[in-house]
Amino acid sequence: MFQSFTIKNFRCFRELTLAPLERINLIAGKNNTGKTALLEAIHLHCHPNDCNLPLDINKDRGIEEPVKDLWKVAGWLFHDQSSGKDFELSSRDEHGAERTLKVRLTDRLDAAEILSERERLELATHAPYFLNHAPYLVLGYQKGGEGWVHSIAAPSSPGVGLMSVSARAAESIPCRFLSVSSSAVSSDVENFGSLEAAKRQGEILPALQLLEPRLQRLSLVPFAGKPVIHGDLQGIDRLIPMPLMGEGVRRVMSIVLSIATVPSGVLLLDEVETGLHHSVMVQVWQAIAEAARRADVQVFATTHSYECIQAAQQAFQAQESPGLRLFRLDWIGDEIRVAVYKQEILNFAIEMTHEVR
């Protein structure tokens, strides 16, 4: 698990550090304080080989310019669009291992120095457009005192996607981003199918049973010609499609399925309370905590809701060991700063009805 995470020159952040981190990390703050950008930064940091991911996170926000205009498209990733300077994402884990990802837009000469002679020859033969057009998106990754590992990307031909060339494969961390706009139904089926193939489908039941105690098992059953997850409820003689059990149960199923499919990794949840009534949020947080503990997953979740924060505090207050930390982002002058609430401080703030969103 990450113990600290630092962002420099990314999106709205000039520099920001979150520390110390917990198993469950709740990110609060007003609109436009960088909550989603923070999740995007962690997502990029976990996938240092994926040259297309920086552009994919822009697409999720509706920014989808032609790839050939890389200066314009990728420029939005840098603080104040200052793409002449790297953005840097770094972390330290519970074992003391430090990881750093640096991303920059650069010219042909700079990019060519990173490529090996063999890679330059292969590109000259198979993708001359790559060598003759700038800018290049360069991802540099370092773990501990090891050498830097680079991946480079640029348009492979006019109007076509990015082509990436890796000097060496960098270490990726299992990570899943569950955004508000994520297509949950198809992803749920795929995730459940993976668990079922590994005979691990029972792992998600304890979390779901906190919301629906009658649930005995889950199964993939054809419905209108497509596989659909069904639930077996005690006392009902037919399996019920999970989408018909209500938005709350389906949303929690998506979350716990995502957790189960990134063991020893990271789950990023944008607006965690979406589709959930405040009256069930304590059980939701208990379900998330149970699933995260079982899979050894670290969770980062954003919220606008005071009820959501209060429910998290109540759910974790009942646990023997702490596992929750709240980080509130605020604009202070022209920079975003973070206020950290460890569990005992959050308990006091909630009791005193202090504003912590």
Side-chain angles (χ1 to χ4, degrees):
M1 292 198 308
F2 296 139
Q3 294 299 305
S4 67
F5 188 78
T6 298
I7 305 172
K8 295 181 180 179
N9 198 41
F10 178 74
R11 296 254 199 241
C12 53
F13 299 109
R14 181 176 287 116
E15 184 170 351
L16 184 84
T17 296
L18 298 186
L21 296 168
E22 270 287 0
R23 169 79 64 191
I24 308 294
N25 302 280
L26 194 52
I27 315 299
K30 297 179 180 179
N31 291 331
N32 197 35
T33 53
K35 297 186 295 299
T36 300
L38 172 59
L39 299 188
E40 292 173 336
I42 298 171
H43 198 200
L44 290 171
H45 182 70
C46 290
H47 297 287
N49 287 316
D50 192 343
C51 290
N52 281 288
L53 186 57
L55 303 189
D56 289 341
I57 64 172
N58 274 345
K59 290 179 184 178
D60 289 341
R61 288 177 177 255
I63 301 174
E64 197 164 358
E65 298 285 344
V67 172
K68 64 179 181 180
D69 194 359
L70 198 54
W71 285 117
K72 183 177 181 181
V73 179
W76 292 105
L77 297 167
F78 299 84
H79 180 64
D80 289 341
Q81 288 193 286
S82 54
S83 54
K85 182 180 178 182
D86 299 358
F87 72 74
E88 183 176 320
L89 311 171
S90 57
S91 68
R92 179 191 294 270
D93 67 20
E94 73 271 30
H95 304 297
E98 297 181 349
R99 297 173 174 85
T100 300
L101 174 67
K102 291 185 178 182
V103 179
R104 69 180 182 270
L105 286 173
T106 190
D107 58 28
R108 174 183 174 181
L109 292 177
D110 185 41
E113 290 181 1
I114 297 171
L115 294 172
S116 68
E117 184 177 350
R118 177 184 58 80
E119 288 167 336
R120 288 196 294 270
L121 180 61
E122 288 180 354
L123 286 172
T125 303
H126 301 292
Y129 185 87
F130 182 96
L131 291 178
N132 294 328
H133 289 74
Y136 300 92
L137 187 66
V138 178
L139 283 66
Y141 177 81
Q142 183 183 54
K143 180 180 178 182
E146 300 173 3
W148 286 91
V149 178
H150 292 94
S151 295
I152 305 174
S156 56
S157 60
V160 181
L162 292 184
M163 176 178 179
S164 63
V165 177
S166 296
R168 287 185 290 137
E171 176 193 51
S172 293
I173 297 171
C175 178
R176 188 177 297 274
F177 194 134
L178 200 59
S179 67
V180 177
S181 60
S182 297
S183 179
V185 175
S186 59
S187 297
D188 289 348
V189 170
E190 181 180 349
N191 291 341
F192 182 76
S194 298
L195 289 178
E196 193 167 38
K199 296 184 178 181
R200 294 175 52 212
Q201 65 269 37
E203 293 180 14
I204 68 170
L205 271 178
L208 291 177
Q209 286 168 338
L210 291 169
L211 272 80
E212 180 47 85
R214 297 175 298 164
L215 186 62
Q216 300 180 93
R217 67 184 177 93
L218 298 172
S219 182
L220 273 180
V221 178
F223 186 85
K226 295 182 179 180
V228 173
I229 302 173
H230 285 61
D232 183 1
L233 296 186
Q234 187 176 16
I236 298 179
D237 59 4
R238 292 183 63 84
L239 297 180
I240 299 176
M242 291 297 289
L244 300 183
M245 287 191 189
E247 180 64 19
V249 174
R250 191 209 59 75
R251 171 71 167 164
V252 173
M253 182 178 68
S254 293
I255 293 172
V256 297
L257 277 171
S258 296
I259 290 173
T261 53
V262 286
S264 301
V266 176
L267 178 67
L268 308 170
L269 286 171
D270 204 11
E271 297 185 25
V272 60
E273 72 276 11
T274 300
L276 297 166
H277 194 268
H278 68 87
S279 63
V280 301
M281 284 306 302
V282 173
Q283 293 97 315
V284 169
W285 279 115
Q286 290 171 340
I288 291 173
E290 170 68 14
R293 182 190 63 79
R294 281 176 173 267
D296 187 29
V297 167
Q298 189 171 30
V299 176
F300 294 83
T302 69
T303 184
H304 293 102
S305 167
Y306 185 83
E307 290 84 1
C308 179
I309 298 171
Q310 186 178 38
Q313 177 264 338
Q314 292 176 11
F316 282 85
Q317 192 175 34
Q319 296 192 8
E320 294 182 3
S321 58
L324 173 70
R325 189 137 298 172
L326 174 69
F327 299 89
R328 193 188 72 228
L329 305 181
D330 293 292
W331 281 102
I332 306 297
D334 62 350
E335 290 193 43
I336 295 175
R337 303 288 180 85
V338 60
V340 183
Y341 294 80
K342 59 183 181 179
Q343 197 151 335
E344 47 272 36
I345 296 176
L346 180 59
N347 293 343
F348 177 77
I350 294 292
E351 288 174 7
M352 296 293 102
T353 65
H354 289 169
E355 179 60 77
V356 293
R357 286 174 294 180

